[in-house]
Amino acid sequence: MPLAIVASRALSGIEAPEVTVEVHLGPGLPAFHIVGLPDAEVREAKDRVRAALNHTHFEFPARRITVNLAPADLPKDSSRLDLPIALGVLAASGQLAPESLAGCEFAGELSLTGEVREVRGALAMALQARSAGRAFILPAGNAPQAALAEGARILPVRSLLEVVAHLTREAPIAEYSASLRRSPFSYPDFDEVKGQQQVKRALEVAAAGGHSVLMVGPPGTGKSMLAARFPGILPPLSEAQALEVAAIQSVSSAGFEAAQWGTRPFRAPHHSASGAAMVGGGNLPRPGEISLAHHGVLFLDELPEFDRNVLEALREPLESGRISIARAARQAQFPARFQLLAAMNPCPCGHCGSAAGRCRCTPERIARYRGRVSGPLADRIDIKLEVPAPREAELIAPVAGEPTAEIRSRVVSAWALQFERQGKPNALLETREIDRHCATDRDGDRLLRHALARLLLSARAYHRVLRVARSVADLAGRTTIAAEHIAEAIQYRRLDASF
Ligand SMILES: [Zn+2]
């Protein structure tokens, strides 16, 4: 029985598992069956493949055609399989040599006239085609994105005819070689922020150890301005991290942004964002804001205004660095290892604690407002700090702040120490690792015990103090945690009592 086998890929999360397209031509009345797809999808795929073959003057065989897509449990946006199915029909019916399909993978939606249209997830597919050691034939519009996978052999095509001419060696397609890679986008500089020395210091500690931060202060104190500059002081992305970030974008609704290559993500969703927009979702699960912030920063301004369920949903990724999205029978996992920066006013009107005494909020309202971020989420935030209104003298002073590049060089050194010592940032140290890596000197130990008793710190808070103190010591280039490092870390828990 004539049989052709074509390699392609599905999409699940940011993985692109291999799909084998087997096309059999058998005796019997003419028919066209596709096994392994939902009915509605099958109808559309059959129409497109049949029309494309007819339009390009190939013969649509008047035989019993059976297409088997293995494994059967495929994600449903399967139009990417049009091109491999059409090629399988051509090979099984003798219009194309079956062996010409070997060594290649194919993906592309077909128009009724046989043009090849762009598909989602090209980078994810290209990365895995590269690992499989095969060339990847895909829509020309997807080539720049796919070529980010260095070393992948990318053959861009515009039509079914071009693909066939390549496979028959009549008109071989040149490998795509242009690269979208460019120097990373640079963030606004910290030297533009006057004053706020203590807040900047806290952000440096947070950057050094990967700690999440909550900034509490009245409107107009520059919380958003500080947050927008924060990704700039983080170390540059590694090659592998940049690829992961790009792969997530490539399967997202907004699509891959070439200008963002190599840049640490900075996502600042509005507090009205839905649960699906934040954590991901949809029938064909797509990544949400927390995954688009992977290896970067998730900034949540006006934290108490976010939906309670949305805040609850942040707990899993804050611990595990991943999010699972279940939809019907299918489950998708997306990476979500982000650094959380959050900001809020001290009270609903924003002026609680200000010298001008303009706040008229009742203590009950203030407690309710802060209560919205209390509990497990607040507990997972290592650093909480007040962002006071800048003094007038600071605002009119002509001195610029310290530039981003100088702060980043200290952060980079602190990261190097952590990765050499423990292979991960301090914020991710587990309890037993804390015992091993967060040794304190005698004064530090005494201060910590004293603070424990005085501030009634929970065991969890105690470990958080040690993790942050470890980062402070790393910034100072010290092996052992001293009292001054503990003292600074305790400062960052002072607001705990009000949450
Ligand atoms: Zn108020």
Side-chain angles (χ1 to χ4, degrees), residues 189-207:
D189 205 288
F190 263 104
D191 65 6
E192 297 157 345
V193 185
K194 290 181 177 174
Q196 302 291 20
Q197 288 313 322
Q198 288 176 350
V199 183
K200 286 187 208 164
R201 167 66 186 179
L203 291 177
E204 179 177 336
V205 172

Side-chain angles (χ1 to χ4, degrees), residues 81-205:
L81 298 172
D82 290 355
L83 176 62
I85 292 173
L87 293 169
V89 170
L90 290 175
S93 61
Q95 301 178 77
L96 184 66
E99 58 275 15
S100 69
L101 299 167
C104 283
E105 297 188 4
F106 306 83
E109 178 176 334
L110 288 176
S111 76
L112 301 180
T113 57
E115 282 149 24
V116 179
R117 290 176 171 163
E118 287 179 40
V119 295
R120 207 158 61 93
L123 175 56
M125 290 192 285
L127 285 168
Q128 289 186 280
R130 179 183 72 180
S131 317
R134 299 196 190 105
F136 187 24
I137 295 189
L138 86 175
N142 290 133
Q145 183 193 119
L148 289 171
E150 270 183 353
R153 285 152 59 215
I154 304 298
L155 301 172
V157 294
R158 286 180 180 75
S159 68
L160 177 60
L161 281 173
E162 264 185 42
V163 181
V164 174
H166 170 77
L167 295 173
T168 57
R169 299 176 190 273
E170 275 167 54
I173 299 160
E175 254 181 56
Y176 186 88
S177 60
S179 179
L180 275 180
R181 294 180 177 215
R182 55 185 87 194
S183 49
F185 168 82
S186 49
Y187 286 95
D189 205 288
F190 263 104
D191 65 6
E192 297 157 345
V193 185
K194 290 181 177 174
Q196 302 291 20
Q197 288 313 322
Q198 288 176 350
V199 183
K200 286 187 208 164
R201 167 66 186 179
L203 291 177
E204 179 177 336
V205 172

